[in-house]
Amino acid sequence: ITIVSPTWKKELEIIGARNVSVIPWGYDPDDYDHLLHNPSDNFIISHLGILGYDRNPEILFKVIAELISINPIFKQKVRLKFPGQIDYSVKECVSKYKLDDFVDLPGNLNRKEALQLMKDSNLLLLLLNKQANAKGRIPGKLFEYLAVKRPILCLGDPDGDSAAIITKTEAGNCYNYTDSQNIRESILMEFER
């Protein structure tokens, strides 16, 4: 059996599987070699792809709204870009925190545009499902984020497999969805850079 996650390997072995191998997702370097980082005057936080109700980052939105209310420079510079399919609950949450003017929902982008947005972002959001099996969840998007070499803020299980990869590669940080203090500190650290 071949699987992409060390946690899921262990779970399969617990129920009796034998000869389980882990081969993680990856990326093709040729897809990224041509990309150049185009700095913006804005501080761009991006999440690319489907953003469902089970990954709604409400505390993140709350933190950003608080930072906007107390920091005029942050308010002037911050922009959130969420291309892809966005659940209505996420859109409602954006409105709840009065972030509509700061969030861009362009819909689907072609791959070339999506890769360029990743490369041009100041901070990439990796939002893991709020599910019992999320500890072993390693989305292919994580490897795309690693390929563009931009800082990652992951929300999910800090002891999960995705967090382990982010830590090992020193690519960013992973916190629980409710950890407002560390989420705020990570955003401010990247903003100040």
Side-chain angles (χ1 to χ4, degrees):
I1 299 171
T2 303
I3 197 154
V4 298
S5 159
T7 295
W8 291 347
K9 174 186 189 289
K10 290 176 192 168
E11 290 173 355
L12 286 173
E13 290 172 339
I14 288 170
I15 61 172
R18 302 284 180 261
N19 300 319
V20 181
S21 299
V22 175
I23 301 176
W25 297 113
Y27 63 89
D28 182 346
D30 291 342
D31 290 347
Y32 302 87
D33 285 345
H34 68 283
L35 295 175
L36 298 174
H37 176 65
N38 301 309
S40 169
D41 287 339
N42 290 324
F43 177 64
I44 300 171
I45 302 173
S46 299
H47 175 277
L48 290 93
I50 297 171
L51 185 47
Y53 70 92
D54 61 343
R55 289 184 275 148
N56 186 348
E58 181 166 0
I59 296 298
L60 173 93
F61 294 142
K62 181 179 179 187
V63 164
I64 290 172
E66 289 168 356
L67 290 172
I68 286 169
S69 72
I70 62 172
N71 186 328
I73 298 170
F74 187 83
K75 179 179 182 178
Q76 181 184 7
K77 299 289 185 183
V78 71
R79 297 294 176 270
L80 288 83
K81 297 190 179 211
F82 296 157
Q85 184 179 343
I86 309 298
D87 188 76
Y88 74 93
S89 64
V90 176
K91 293 176 184 177
E92 287 177 348
C93 203
V94 166
S95 294
K96 174 182 174 180
Y97 290 100
K98 298 178 174 49
L99 295 174
D100 296 288
D101 292 339
F102 301 92
V103 178
D104 183 17
L105 304 173
N108 293 327
L109 300 179
N110 66 45
R111 180 157 173 76
K112 183 178 177 183
E113 293 169 323
L115 294 179
Q116 190 61 58
L117 175 57
M118 285 182 212
K119 188 70 174 178
D120 292 343
S121 296
N122 299 95
L123 185 61
L124 294 168
L125 295 176
L126 183 67
L127 305 173
L128 302 176
N129 300 57
K130 300 174 191 173
Q131 302 294 335
N133 69 347
K135 183 174 184 148
R137 178 95 168 95
I138 306 174
K141 182 186 326 193
L142 170 56
F143 296 94
E144 292 182 327
Y145 283 5
L146 291 172
V148 297
K149 299 179 176 136
R150 305 304 300 147
I152 299 168
L153 174 58
C154 176
L155 300 185
D157 188 338
D159 296 318
D161 293 342
S162 289
I165 292 169
I166 291 168
T167 300
K168 184 175 183 176
T169 59
E170 299 179 356
N173 297 294
C174 184
Y175 304 112
N176 285 314
Y177 274 88
T178 57
D179 190 348
S180 59
Q181 182 62 36
N182 279 317
I183 292 169
R184 178 181 292 104
E185 288 175 11
S186 284
I187 291 170
L188 283 174
M189 180 180 72
E190 293 307 326
F191 178 65
E192 288 169 5
R193 275 191 202 173

